[in-house]
Amino acid sequence: MSTATPKSLKALYESEEFHQQYFYDGPLGPDYTPQGTYLRVWAPTAQQVSVNLYRYGTGNFCLGCLPMSRRERGAWTIYLPGDQHGLYYTFSVEVDGARYETGDPYARAAGVNGVRSMIVDLARTNPEGWQQDARPSIPASRRVVWEISVRDFSWDLAGGMGREWRGKYLAFTQTGTTVKGSSPCPTGLAHLRRLGVSHVQLMPVFDFGSVDESRPLRLQYNWGYDPVNFNLPEGSYSTDPYHGEVRINEFKQMVAALHAAGIGVVMDVVYNHTYRTENVFNYTVPYYFFRQNPDGSFSNGSGCGNEFATERPMARRYIIDSVLYWAKEYHIDGFRFDLMGLYDVETINLLREELDKLPGGKDILMYGEPWQGGGSMLRRYEANKNNLQMLSERVGVFCDDTRDAIKGGCFEAREPGYVQGKPGSFWDIGAAVAAWCRSDRISPRAPSQIVSYVSAHDNFTLWDKLMMVRSRRPDFMAEDPVVLAQNRLAAGIYLTCMGMPFMQAGEEFARTKRGRGNSYRSPAPLNQLDWRRACRYRGLVDYYRGLIALRAQFPRLGGADLEAANAVEFFELEPPLVGWTLPAMPGDGARWEALLVFYNPTDQEKWVPLPEGKWQLLCDGVSSSLWRGDSCLREGTSLLAPYSATIFGLRSEG
Ligand code: CA
């Protein structure tokens, strides 16, 4: 092949001839059996590929280097007879005069820092009972996602989780932990079970590059949005990053423990870019897997130096293979796509179709951020908020409109939102309740496409944001009763919105990062869940718990159909009050015939008229568990507390 330039490669890769000649749908990656292992890599532009074999995942001792054979459509292969479990390997790829040593893009296991790939007998990584582990069956009405970094979950020693599992996958397997005190508060898994969230969303848990696995964790911290190996777990969350099978086993133990608690596991996947432009993809097929500017250089729609070319057929195939692998091998219950606006619509819909084909696959969650991180070279329909009509109705997007309407803009710290009574914002709250299905601003196909939330790992925690609106020089550690009430109101709104609710871990106990928004590499003590707050704010925890359970009692709120959104009836009330009612669908198992909800974002008590009927008070804005008992019935009018969400249910007759 003649000397290629990035620009000539771009023309080559985008040509129909290249696709016709080299699109490969045969097996890729290591294929282990006890009798022998095939290694296969797609490198159509390479002149030579060989495999280097190592006893260990690090160090210089190479056992040997064997040439691989070029087969059809640019795939290279070699067969290594005998049981090769635990053997480490890299490829040496010669392309256009350059020679790169690289890990396998399809590696299933790797040594420390993911540098060398490892052949693994996956059966040997399965914890006891793994064959019986299954994705829990979670109806749409019960879905509430709780987002956490593995590190943050158990870094705080006050959480009472094992010191040796601090910041590790295995901390999720520990049961019965509490914050010590006169009346102990549950932490970790016990806290999750009590809170009642249906899914835990794990911030990046594939192998990422910004934490050095060979150095102590104590002085390092990163969220991990910097992928190195997409198909194997991060090593720094395991108890031994040097032996490739350990992290796999421990990751599976974590999944099994969450499943045993009835909780689904959502992975935050970041296929939109890689940590460095020097990576396993560019070392095997230079430039193919990344979008290019007209001059051939890497475009940067992720804001991280490169962006994955999801529309190039082998790159698209790679993402689909990877997602299916996690779903099948690790029993993953959902995928959250970072910067989903960098994916083309076709890739996302294909992913949905492929997941649907798995047993129970239709219940695997798919949702993402409907935006990009910079100027992208994507020239197809983007999987973003404007193109919801083209996306499957079971692909959701984070709804920044709902988020900002409730609590104010997330970039302008001091900008108020509806919960502070911002004038005019009540229109948006009504739209948010109906998952924007009745608004011109966004046109979802169904409420199931809307993820309703007020806080996530990016930007300020809800508590910090409310504190910053409230005061110019906030004391984040203070217990401010008004902010607490505004917090309850914010939760009372998005947990009664249609669509799927989502929350940042610790929102339920007033999590603070002391006004820091983008804390992706701030010290662990700032990022960690402060479990003492779970005790201190146990009233708020109970409030979230009650609301989450209440929501599940009225399936139509979490329903997928457009009709539900159209069935919401709004009242004419004095602004900025919002009030609405929604009848249950006959036979849907709802505990009440109808729901009646009022939001009062003012500092005054307010009287509101009630529609005809006997209404049971379910939540008065402070207690959200009134519905569990025989709370009083109201007729005619009711008083709303300042900064409150008040919820009534129409008693079923008989
Ligand atoms: Ca890593």
Side-chain angles (χ1 to χ4, degrees):
M1 215 169 273
S2 61
T3 304
T5 63
K7 193 173 173 173
S8 71
L9 287 175
K10 181 176 191 291
L12 174 70
Y13 296 149
E14 288 170 1
S15 70
E16 189 54 30
E17 296 94 297
F18 184 84
H19 176 63
Q20 291 298 334
Q21 208 173 344
Y22 293 119
F23 180 78
Y24 174 71
D25 61 2
L28 284 171
D31 191 350
Y32 168 91
T33 68
Q35 291 72 43
T37 296
Y38 282 100
L39 297 177
R40 298 183 178 98
V41 61
W42 183 70
T45 57
Q47 284 85 53
Q48 199 172 5
V49 180
S50 47
V51 62
N52 311 296
L53 304 174
Y54 298 91
R55 178 58 55 210
Y56 303 109
T58 183
N60 285 328
F61 181 55
C62 183
L63 298 172
C65 174
L66 303 167
M68 296 175 73
S69 322
R70 188 173 178 123
R71 296 290 162 83
E72 75 281 11
R73 300 183 159 271
W76 299 72
T77 181
I78 190 169
Y79 182 70
L80 305 170
D83 187 346
Q84 303 298 352
H85 171 75
L87 186 69
Y88 290 85
Y89 68 100
T90 58
F91 298 128
S92 285
V93 183
E94 271 185 53
V95 195
D96 222 19
R99 185 183 162 94
Y100 306 106
E101 183 174 359
T102 174
D104 182 350
Y106 273 77
R108 308 294 192 211
V112 69
N113 283 322
V115 177
R116 289 180 190 158
S117 308
M118 188 191 101
I119 294 171
V120 62
D121 174 7
L122 285 164
R124 276 185 249 185
T125 66
N126 292 345
E128 211 174 310
W130 184 248
Q131 301 308 324
Q132 282 73 52
D133 177 79
R135 282 188 283 272
S137 164
I138 300 166
S141 57
R142 268 204 53 225
R143 287 174 189 161
V144 178
V145 179
W146 190 83
E147 180 199 37
I148 186 69
S149 146
V150 169
R151 185 76 178 274
D152 297 348
F153 186 69
S154 58
W155 193 252
D156 179 11
L157 292 173
M161 285 163 270
R163 205 173 255 271
E164 70 283 13
W165 292 347
R166 191 182 184 197
K168 309 289 188 193
Y169 300 122
L170 289 177
F172 285 85
T173 67
Q174 207 167 345
T175 53
T177 55
T178 58
V179 180
K180 301 288 179 284
S182 47
S183 57
C185 302
T187 63
L189 189 63
H191 169 77
L192 290 179
R193 292 183 74 145
R194 187 166 180 281
L195 183 61
V197 292
S198 67
H199 291 77
V200 165
Q201 177 187 304
L202 300 168
M203 286 159 71
V205 283
F206 51 74
D207 177 32
F208 56 79
S210 49
V211 167
D212 185 345
E213 299 173 7
S214 70
R215 286 178 41 235
L217 273 189
R218 211 166 47 80
L219 296 176
Q220 303 185 67
Y221 184 91
N222 207 289
W223 286 345
Y225 289 84
D226 38 58
V228 173
N229 285 288
F230 282 111
N231 294 326
L232 56 101
E234 163 61 13
S236 66
Y237 297 150
S238 76
T239 59
D240 175 4
Y242 289 88
H243 295 89
E245 69 281 10
V246 176
R247 59 179 81 180
I248 302 175
N249 167 265
E250 292 177 352
F251 191 109
K252 287 176 174 174
Q253 287 192 53
M254 168 183 68
V255 172
L258 285 161
H259 283 174
I263 297 170
V265 179
V266 178
M267 270 180 82
D268 188 337
V269 287
V270 191
Y271 298 107
N272 63 71
H273 76 277
T274 59
Y275 187 35
R276 305 213 181 281
T277 48
E278 300 81 21
N279 57 50
V280 293
F281 301 103
N282 278 326
Y283 283 160
T284 46
V285 197
Y287 287 90
Y288 177 84
F289 289 88
F290 299 91
R291 285 192 191 117
Q292 295 173 270
N293 294 313
D295 67 359
S297 59
F298 294 109
S299 62
N300 186 18
S302 66
C304 299
N306 59 68
E307 59 176 307
F308 214 74
T310 62
E311 69 281 15
R312 289 187 178 168
M314 288 301 287
R316 173 181 288 156
R317 178 195 159 174
Y318 183 87
I319 294 173
I320 293 173
D321 285 348
S322 180
V323 166
L324 289 177
Y325 174 68
W326 285 104
K328 289 194 277 196
E329 183 63 32
Y330 290 88
H331 307 173
I332 295 298
D333 304 83
F335 296 90
R336 175 267 189 200
F337 294 85
D338 190 68
L339 303 182
M340 194 167 74
L342 285 175
Y343 293 69
D344 60 302
V345 162
E346 196 181 339
T347 296
I348 290 292
N349 282 339
L350 272 170
L351 268 168
R352 182 72 268 177
E353 284 171 31
E354 291 299 323
L355 284 175
D356 286 353
K357 290 176 192 165
L358 301 179
K362 289 200 168 172
D363 291 329
I364 296 177
L365 302 181
M366 275 185 72
Y367 55 93
E369 295 179 309
W371 47 77
Q372 305 178 336
S376 172
M377 287 303 294
L378 176 56
R379 294 294 177 261
R380 309 282 183 97
Y381 288 114
E382 300 158 6
N384 65 19
K385 213 163 59 174
N386 297 329
N387 294 328
L388 288 175
Q389 291 290 330
M390 290 183 222
L391 287 166
S392 158
E393 43 182 55
R394 283 176 300 108
V395 170
V397 296
F398 284 92
C399 189
D400 49 345
D401 299 80
T402 292
R403 178 194 70 196
D404 293 352
I406 294 174
K407 70 164 188 179
C410 67
F411 300 110
E412 191 51 64
R414 294 188 50 81
E415 185 192 311
Y418 179 74
V419 294
Q420 288 97 3
K422 182 184 175 184
S425 55
F426 66 99
W427 289 111
D428 286 347
I429 295 300
V433 165
W436 301 89
C437 293
R438 288 158 65 175
S439 149
D440 300 337
R441 201 185 307 168
I442 321 169
S443 313
R445 297 175 63 183
S448 53
Q449 286 185 317
I450 297 296
V451 176
S452 305
Y453 75 117
V454 290
S455 76
H457 67 271
D458 280 316
N459 309 315
F460 309 117
T461 68
L462 175 62
W463 181 260
D464 286 353
K465 167 73 187 178
L466 296 173
M467 277 291 200
M468 284 186 282
V469 176
R470 174 125 169 97
S471 115
R472 197 163 282 280
R473 302 193 55 172
D475 172 5
F476 296 106
M477 300 309 282
E479 274 180 53
D480 185 317
V482 170
V483 166
L484 208 47
Q486 290 169 340
N487 186 328
R488 287 193 302 266
L489 172 57
I493 298 171
Y494 82 83
L495 284 167
T496 48
C497 282
M498 294 197 164
M500 184 179 76
F502 168 98
M503 63 194 288
Q504 182 185 29
E507 187 192 292
E508 72 277 20
F509 45 82
R511 183 174 182 180
T512 176
K513 291 192 284 183
R514 299 170 196 232
R516 193 82 59 89
N518 193 10
S519 62
Y520 74 102
R521 56 177 188 184
S522 302
L526 184 80
N527 278 290
Q528 73 186 12
L529 287 184
D530 174 355
W531 285 108
R532 284 195 189 86
R533 283 176 88 83
C535 242
R536 188 170 159 197
Y537 289 96
R538 73 183 78 180
L540 189 58
V541 173
D542 284 343
Y543 176 80
Y544 274 82
R545 174 176 181 248
L547 267 182
I548 289 168
L550 191 163
R551 180 182 174 87
Q553 300 291 330
F554 201 80
R556 212 169 183 191
L557 278 186
D561 63 310
L562 211 50
E563 256 170 72
N566 290 327
V568 179
E569 188 192 328
F570 293 96
F571 306 131
E572 279 195 31
L573 298 172
E574 153 205 359
L577 302 184
V578 169
W580 55 271
T581 182
L582 174 67
M585 276 288 277
D588 72 353
R591 192 165 169 142
W592 306 281
E593 283 188 2
L595 219 53
L596 172 62
V597 180
F598 294 99
Y599 311 130
N600 174 15
T602 73
D603 59 2
Q604 311 284 315
E605 292 185 324
K606 297 281 182 186
W607 285 100
V608 286
L610 302 182
E612 202 167 313
K614 289 195 164 96
W615 294 93
Q616 184 193 357
L617 184 62
L618 312 180
C619 166
D620 63 4
V622 177
S623 171
S624 59
S625 290
L626 300 175
W627 59 274
R628 295 182 199 267
D630 263 333
S631 60
C632 53
L633 295 179
R634 299 274 168 86
E635 276 181 277
T637 58
S638 185
L639 193 62
L640 309 180
Y643 301 115
S644 70
T646 305
I647 307 172
F648 297 93
L650 188 63
R651 273 281 185 81
S652 307
E653 298 300 326

